Amino acid sequence: MHRTILAALLLLPMAFAVPAFAQSEEDVMARIENLHGKSVEFGEAFAQLQDGFLFDDPAMIAELGIYPITVNANGESYDILEPQDLVDNFDSLLTPDTIAALSSQDYADLIVTSEGVGFANGALWMSLVCVDDSCSDSNWGIISINN
């Protein structure tokens, strides 16, 4: 009896983990819309990020940044102040493993929280950020990169 209860308790977390991975693109889009709004604009930013990796174009990726961006790489934390800094140091700020994970990101595997959207198990985070003080307009952008 005790072994059955112990086995059930050990397997319980797995039962709750499965649905988190069993989501469709539509589920992700709906969750983004419900938590943040502008899910169509997020889709456009996602496509631009994917194209940047596909065409090996760091400038396209850097355009999505909300500066300063915090980049954790090489055991240190860097504040990237402008797009050109990211472009110039792209290969040293993003490891090959991070680039590979971001390049192959599936929409259905995104992490969607109230703080933003995570790519590649949190290697990159995008959020909806206000453009002006009144926050009458906002854009999706990269807020952090974690290797």
Side-chain angles (χ1 to χ4, degrees):
M1 177 73 170
H2 292 294
R3 288 184 185 176
T4 304
I5 292 171
L6 182 59
L9 289 174
L10 291 174
L11 293 175
L12 188 61
M14 289 183 210
F16 290 109
V18 173
F21 295 105
Q23 60 184 357
S24 68
E25 290 184 18
E26 292 81 17
D27 293 338
V28 172
M29 184 74 90
R31 185 156 168 79
I32 291 169
E33 188 63 37
N34 288 337
L35 287 173
H36 303 284
K38 293 197 171 189
S39 60
V40 171
E41 291 85 348
F42 174 81
E44 294 166 358
F46 178 87
Q48 181 177 339
L49 186 68
Q50 293 293 16
D51 285 350
F53 284 110
L54 178 66
F55 299 116
D56 193 28
D57 187 350
M60 187 179 289
I61 296 163
E63 286 175 11
L64 290 168
I66 305 298
Y67 296 92
I69 296 174
T70 300
V71 176
N72 296 305
N74 310 314
E76 296 189 34
S77 186
Y78 303 94
D79 288 327
I80 307 304
L81 303 177
E82 58 187 45
Q84 195 60 47
D85 292 338
L86 184 60
V87 171
D88 291 345
N89 300 292
F90 192 80
D91 290 331
S92 61
L93 292 173
L94 277 86
T95 66
D97 288 343
T98 299
I99 291 171
L102 292 170
S103 299
S104 62
Q105 176 68 56
D106 281 335
Y107 204 88
D109 293 332
L110 292 168
I111 304 165
V112 182
T113 71
S114 61
E115 299 297 317
V117 179
F119 293 67
N121 294 321
L124 182 143
W125 284 89
M126 292 183 86
S127 187
L128 196 57
V129 179
C130 295
V131 174
D132 55 22
D133 290 337
S134 68
C135 204
S136 60
D137 192 18
S138 55
N139 293 324
W140 282 98
I142 300 167
I143 58 169
S144 69
I145 300 171
N146 306 294
N147 289 274

